[in-house]
Amino acid sequence: MLSNPFKYSEKPQFCRFFRSLSESKRQKIYRNTSVHIFVEEIHLGIMPIGGRSRSHPDFSINITGDVKNKEKAKELLNSLASNNRLSTNELVCDAVDNIVKSMLYSGKAYYEITQDTPDFLKLDNFTSDKLVNIFGLYFQFVPEKDRKMWKKKLVVKVSNSIWKIEIPKELGGSSGYRKLIHSLGNNTEMYPKCYDIEKIVTQSSDFNFNEYINQTKVYQYRLLELWGGNLRHTSTEYANEYYLIHRIVRFNRAQAILREHVINQLNILLNRKKIKSIIEVKGLPTVQSIDEQLKKLEEGEAKFVEIINTTRVS
C-alpha cells in the first residue's frame, strides 16, 4: 500500500540502495584506482576534519536565528551527519562531507524529507537508480530482485518532499562529472585492455610501458583540466614543480566551489522549509581568495608551500 505522496512521511519511504544493481557498470568504474583517488581527494578536502583547521585557526561556523529555528536547523543537519556532534563546527563539517560523498557517486544526490515529529524535519539519502520525475512526482521503481527485501514495488512522492543537489555547473554539472568519471575509469588502467598481461612472463613484448604511463598521465591531466589536481602524482619526471603546484591550488579552488555550493544549497533548503536560520562559514579559503593566490603564484610572488597551506582547508 502506497503512502500519501503529498504528505511528509514519519519514516523514509524511498529505498536507499538496490543490491541487485551492486555490480553495475558504474560501481565497477569506481573500483578504478584513479577514480577512487580522485573522489576521495575531493571529499577529504571539502571541510576541516573534526571541525578544526591548522592552516586556518580562525575557522568557525555559526547558525543564526532564534533558539527554536536554530534547533530546527541543527536537527536537520544531524540527520545528515554520521553521528550526533557536540559543536556546530563538527556538525556542519560532518553533514557537508556526507552530502559531498553522496553527490560524488553519480554527480547528484537525493534526500527524502521526513517528519517524525510535528516540529522537526529530517533528510534521508536514497538511491537515484530506477528513479524518474514525472509532472512534479518522483517515482522509484523497485527491481524485482529487491522487492522482497524492501517489501514494496513502487514509491511515489511529490517533489516538495525531495531535496536534490547536484555538482555545480562551474565544475561541469552532474552530466559532465559522470562523463569525467566514466572516461577516467575506462581509460586509465595500469596497462591497456587490449594487452594480455598473463603472457608478459612467457612471451616477449615490444610494448613500451613507460610511454604508455606517460601518455596516460597526459590524458588524466587533460580530463581533470576543469578540476585541477594531480591524483597524488608528485614526481617531476613528467611535469615540473610549478605545474604540479598550480594544479594542486586549482584543485583546492574546485573544492571551494563545491563547498560554497553545498552551504548555499543548504541555506536555500532551510529557507524553503521556512526555517529562519542561516549557516555562516568563516575563515576558510573562498573561490575569490584562491583566485588571488593563483595570480600571485603565476606572477612569482608567493612561495609554493605557503600558497598550498593558504588555499587548503586542513
Side-chain angles (χ1 to χ4, degrees), residues 24-64:
S24 64
K25 291 182 179 179
R26 186 169 61 202
Q27 292 226 354
K28 291 179 180 178
I29 286 174
Y30 275 80
R31 287 198 287 270
N32 174 278
T33 302
S34 296
V35 172
H36 175 77
I37 291 174
F38 177 61
V39 171
E40 186 176 64
E41 289 285 276
I42 293 173
H43 83 79
L44 285 178
I46 286 294
M47 299 296 285
I49 297 174
R52 296 182 181 87
S53 173
R54 289 176 295 177
S55 300
H56 307 280
D58 59 340
F59 160 63
S60 65
I61 300 177
N62 182 44
I63 298 177
T64 67

Side-chain angles (χ1 to χ4, degrees), residues 233-251:
H233 298 157
T234 57
S235 172
T236 55
E237 181 180 356
Y238 304 101
N240 61 39
E241 186 179 13
Y242 171 82
Y243 181 70
L244 291 173
I245 298 300
H246 197 277
R247 291 192 68 94
I248 290 172
V249 177
R250 285 175 44 230
F251 188 66

